[in-house]
Amino acid sequence: MSAVLEIQGLQKTYRSRKGVRKALDGFDMVVEAGQVHGFLGPNGSGKTTTLRTLLGLIRPNAGRMAILGREVPAALPEVAGSVGAIVESPQFFGNFSAQDTLLLLADAGGVERARVFEVLELVGLRDRAKDRVKTYSLGMKQRLAVASALLKNPRLLILDEPANGLDPGGIREMRTLMRNLAESGMTVVLSSHILGEIQLICDSVTIIAAGRRVAAGSVAEVLAQHATSSVRVRLESAVDLPASAAALRELGAQVSLEQDHLMVSGIAQPSAITRTLALRNVFVSELAPVSVDLESVFLELTGTAPVAGEHRQVDQTVMAQAGPAHGGWGQ
Amino acid sequence: MSLYTAETRRLTKRRFSRFFLLGVVVVLALIAGGMFFSNQKNTPEVVAAAQAKADREFQQAVVQSEAEKKACAAQPGSDCANMWTPTRDDFQAEWYMPSTFDFREQFGAMETALAAILAVMAFVIGASFVGAEWTSGGMMNLLLWRPQRIKVLSTKLGALLVTLSVVTVVISLIWTGIFAVIGNLRGTMEGMTSGAWQSVMLMELRGLGLVLFAGAVGFGLASLGRHTAVAMGVAIGVVVLFQFGLGTVLSLAGVKFLEAYLIPTWAAAWVDKSVKLEDWNACNVSPDGCVPDTLTITWPMAGGVFGAVLVLVVGLAMWTLRSRDIT
């Protein structure tokens, strides 16, 4: 597979009277052709700055970017016709209808006008196409934004929070649409906070925190890299939890004592747990391997898991494993 | 070309542009209607009636004057030699005629009014055309489609100026036609030689220049601030600070030719070919008496100033769009 989008060492620094803030600090990203690629990061981590920089709206301080094999921003005018994008919340002139909005964009971009009606149908706005955009709900505006991005029938589709404001049915439609587009050969880059959705529809992901890539690769790879062989252990009687934890630690296991169960890792065979506890007349009522999901990996990598009694601030992240990640420039 | 067509459609589709233009047309129609109904053609009957009234007033004045002279002579020691004696020249027939529209004499003021009204319209529409695009996010969308900032802004400006030119030319022609009709029906077209018509056309051309200047400056200011309100704020600031504030301060300071510091003077000089300012505090003795100092502002001088402002504002708008991030 060839890379459709490549970013290497991207840096962006904002200077203001309050000081200097590094929005991007040597960020790398690679997206292969035909993939649905998830682009994840907590608020303020640099996702939107990356997308804006890639699309020529922000000038980077350093780094290289390429879209469809062409260096950008230099070649952006040539590749723009193959890139459909929405960045952040959908914004349109409220007094124009969806149809007018798309027709004006089609005229400006030299796209066949018939395509406007195709994309309106595709995103489910056909019957409301002549209503003014200011009468639309957030979800409908989001659909219009996706329609505008699809108008060019792009080879690379970049969507920033496309499910924002959509109802559950709309989210499912969007998911199907993304899959269908990818199957038709389109590469989709999807930025979202709905990690369950990303895990469901994305082939690969890049996770960014504090302006740097903290994980990248296929979803399975990222999950595997951060999977732990933890086992959840419930006992017949919760009174036995502390003593059981001590017994398992003697075996060399890492044990965390929860309110009504134990989390045990570092043991090759789960049967060792049952055997050890049974010898002490403690009987197991549940022994379940804990599967890791994208959300927990995300929270671990970005250090944004909520902590009881603490109020995490927007820029407060932990740079975990900031070393070289998989899939750098040209790989 | 497709971008230019799209931008022209965007401009003409906007309700704000349409309503503002409609408002301007209504105002112009009211002015033209007012001029039509407040003027009257001097037919032979009207002239004869005015002449008769002038004669009657003259006769009454003569009788009254003689009576006053007699009364004066009856009082010994009175100086009656210098008492006023009415003459025919004191009772001219035209003074008793209703107002009439002399196209050659009066159309210039109408043309200046038209240029000023259209310039205000151009400024506001120009500012809102690009300002609303920035605030609604439309500009960012457009730049995602056409990532050539200067080309996009230039094309937008071009679409605005061409549309304003068409509107101004059409309205100016209709305006001229309406006042030609008023001249024919409610006044006179005397003296409208080909040279006079050429002068009218040149004045309208300069009016078009003023409209385009105002439109481009409004557009440029809103582009700089990325909001319509910035252009409007600057306009209000300039009026309050420089027109009223500066005018008052300069007046208190007794500055010569203080009108030269006010924008309307320069606009009038541009449209009317020249404006002559007089300083009555200076008295230059001459055979005709006290002659004031004068300063004449000509249309090339005004054009130079407007050109410099235009280059500065539009140039800055282009430069900032090129260099600033779009966030």
Side-chain angles (χ1 to χ4, degrees), chain A residues 53-325:
Chain A
T53 308
L54 190 66
L55 296 166
L57 300 174
I58 290 176
R59 203 182 296 270
N61 296 106
R64 294 173 62 208
M65 299 176 289
I67 293 177
L68 301 166
R70 306 285 306 275
E71 298 267 337
V72 291
L76 206 50
E78 288 91 74
V79 298
S82 305
V83 181
I86 53 171
V87 183
E88 272 194 332
S89 56
Q91 294 178 318
F92 297 100
F93 191 60
N95 281 321
F96 284 174
S97 68
Q99 188 174 304
D100 285 339
T101 302
L102 295 183
L103 282 171
L104 284 169
L105 280 177
D107 284 352
V111 172
E112 289 280 329
R113 289 183 144 214
R115 177 71 183 154
V116 168
F117 303 99
E118 286 174 23
V119 293
L120 283 169
E121 175 78 35
L122 204 60
V123 300
L125 283 177
R126 183 193 57 206
D127 296 337
R128 298 287 303 272
K130 289 185 177 171
D131 292 359
R132 276 193 227 151
V133 171
K134 69 178 177 187
T135 66
Y136 282 13
S137 66
L138 177 60
M140 289 167 70
K141 285 180 187 164
Q142 197 69 50
R143 286 168 189 259
L144 177 57
V146 173
S148 73
L150 289 172
L151 202 53
K152 289 185 266 190
N153 203 4
R155 289 171 61 193
L156 172 63
L157 182 64
I158 299 173
L159 302 175
D160 196 2
E161 295 289 346
N164 194 17
L166 292 182
D167 53 28
I171 291 175
R172 182 170 285 190
E173 285 170 27
M174 193 63 71
R175 187 195 307 157
T176 310
L177 179 64
M178 296 302 119
R179 281 262 56 110
N180 291 344
L181 292 172
E183 280 165 17
S184 72
M186 197 180 288
T187 307
V188 183
V189 174
L190 207 58
S191 152
S192 177
H193 285 120
I194 307 176
L195 299 174
E197 282 299 310
I198 293 284
Q199 192 168 349
L200 274 174
I201 64 175
C202 288
D203 304 301
S204 56
V205 291
T206 296
I207 301 179
I208 181 174
R212 300 177 70 178
R213 183 172 70 180
V214 291
S218 70
V219 173
E221 280 172 10
V222 170
L223 292 177
Q225 282 165 17
H226 297 90
T228 53
S229 53
S230 294
V231 178
R232 186 171 53 243
V233 180
R234 285 185 207 279
L235 306 177
E236 277 187 337
S237 170
V239 179
D240 297 326
L241 285 172
S244 302
L248 293 172
R249 284 190 189 111
E250 284 173 18
L251 274 183
Q254 287 91 50
V255 183
S256 79
L257 181 59
E258 305 294 335
Q259 196 173 5
D260 61 347
H261 66 276
L262 301 174
M263 292 297 293
V264 182
S265 59
I267 285 187
Q269 295 297 325
S271 59
I273 297 171
T274 53
R275 193 180 310 117
T276 304
L277 296 181
L279 285 173
R280 287 166 172 75
N281 283 328
V282 176
F283 300 101
V284 172
S285 62
E286 180 188 334
L287 187 69
V290 176
S291 61
V292 69
D293 62 7
L294 200 53
E295 183 172 289
S296 52
V297 172
F298 175 88
L299 293 175
E300 180 200 331
L301 287 173
T302 60
T304 52
V307 177
E310 286 184 21
H311 300 283
R312 187 179 64 84
Q313 301 305 301
V314 168
D315 287 333
Q316 199 178 325
T317 57
V318 172
M319 281 300 304
Q321 302 174 15

Side-chain angles (χ1 to χ4, degrees), chain B:
Chain B
M1 195 60 195
S2 58
L3 181 60
Y4 171 79
T5 312
E7 289 310 312
T8 305
R9 281 188 57 232
R10 192 191 305 278
L11 174 62
T12 52
K13 259 188 114 52
R14 294 190 65 225
R15 289 197 313 163
F16 182 81
S17 310
R18 290 178 177 181
F19 285 143
F20 209 97
L21 179 61
L22 183 68
V24 163
V25 168
V26 169
V27 168
L28 293 176
L30 288 173
I31 293 172
M35 290 302 287
F36 183 85
F37 290 111
S38 62
N39 286 288
Q40 199 173 322
K41 194 172 183 69
N42 290 334
T43 58
E45 292 77 23
V46 172
V47 173
Q51 188 63 58
K53 191 172 182 188
D55 288 347
R56 271 199 311 279
E57 298 268 325
F58 174 63
Q59 294 303 334
Q60 282 174 7
V62 168
V63 170
Q64 192 177 349
S65 168
E66 283 174 356
E68 284 172 359
K69 280 182 181 171
K70 275 184 188 169
C72 178
Q75 291 181 352
S78 300
D79 179 13
C80 306
N82 291 328
M83 285 187 73
W84 176 61
T85 305
T87 62
R88 273 278 169 199
D89 285 348
D90 295 331
F91 295 88
Q92 293 180 22
E94 50 263 39
W95 298 349
Y96 296 91
M97 291 179 197
S99 175
T100 191
F101 184 75
D102 185 335
F103 189 95
R104 188 187 166 107
E105 290 297 318
Q106 292 172 266
F107 184 67
M110 294 294 106
E111 182 52 38
T112 305
L114 175 72
I117 291 169
L118 291 182
V120 170
M121 178 195 77
F123 183 90
V124 175
I125 288 181
S128 83
F129 177 48
V130 71
E133 285 286 293
W134 276 114
T135 44
S136 72
M139 190 61 135
M140 197 175 78
N141 265 344
L142 192 57
L143 289 172
L144 292 178
W145 276 69
R146 300 291 288 255
Q148 295 148 299
R149 298 183 186 189
I150 298 300
K151 188 177 176 183
V152 166
L153 198 67
S154 309
T155 309
K156 265 187 178 296
L157 180 59
L160 171 74
L161 296 184
V162 170
T163 308
L164 285 176
S165 298
V166 171
V167 169
T168 305
V169 167
V170 169
I171 290 181
S172 295
L173 289 176
I174 294 171
W175 190 247
T176 310
I178 286 173
F179 278 94
V181 170
I182 294 173
N184 276 307
L185 297 179
R186 300 280 179 157
T188 177
M189 296 294 287
E190 259 182 36
M192 286 312 293
T193 58
S194 62
W197 278 113
Q198 194 180 15
S199 178
V200 166
M201 289 300 136
L202 286 173
M203 196 176 185
E204 290 186 339
L205 206 58
R206 289 196 299 275
L208 171 64
L210 184 68
V211 171
L212 296 184
F213 165 76
V217 168
F219 181 94
L221 289 173
S223 298
L224 272 172
R226 298 184 176 182
H227 205 294
T228 310
V230 172
M232 305 313 292
V234 169
I236 291 168
V238 164
V239 168
V240 171
L241 199 68
F242 285 93
Q243 295 305 110
F244 298 126
L246 190 66
T248 307
V249 169
L250 294 178
S251 175
L252 289 172
V255 171
K256 279 177 83 170
F257 309 121
L258 72 89
E259 295 92 338
Y261 297 91
L262 309 182
I263 296 167
T265 307
W266 291 83
W270 169 256
V271 179
D272 297 336
K273 276 179 86 173
S274 67
V275 164
K276 190 175 176 184
L277 305 178
E278 295 176 334
D279 177 26
W280 287 96
N281 291 325
C283 180
N284 302 305
V285 181
S286 79
D288 296 329
C290 199
V291 175
D293 282 348
T294 60
L295 171 69
T296 303
I297 299 174
T298 60
W299 71 269
M301 290 162 70
V305 170
F306 289 152
V309 172
L310 181 73
V311 168
L312 182 71
V313 172
V314 175
L316 262 179
M318 296 284 176
W319 180 75
T320 51
L321 180 68
R322 189 186 161 87
S323 54
R324 271 172 66 189
D325 288 341
I326 296 166
T327 53

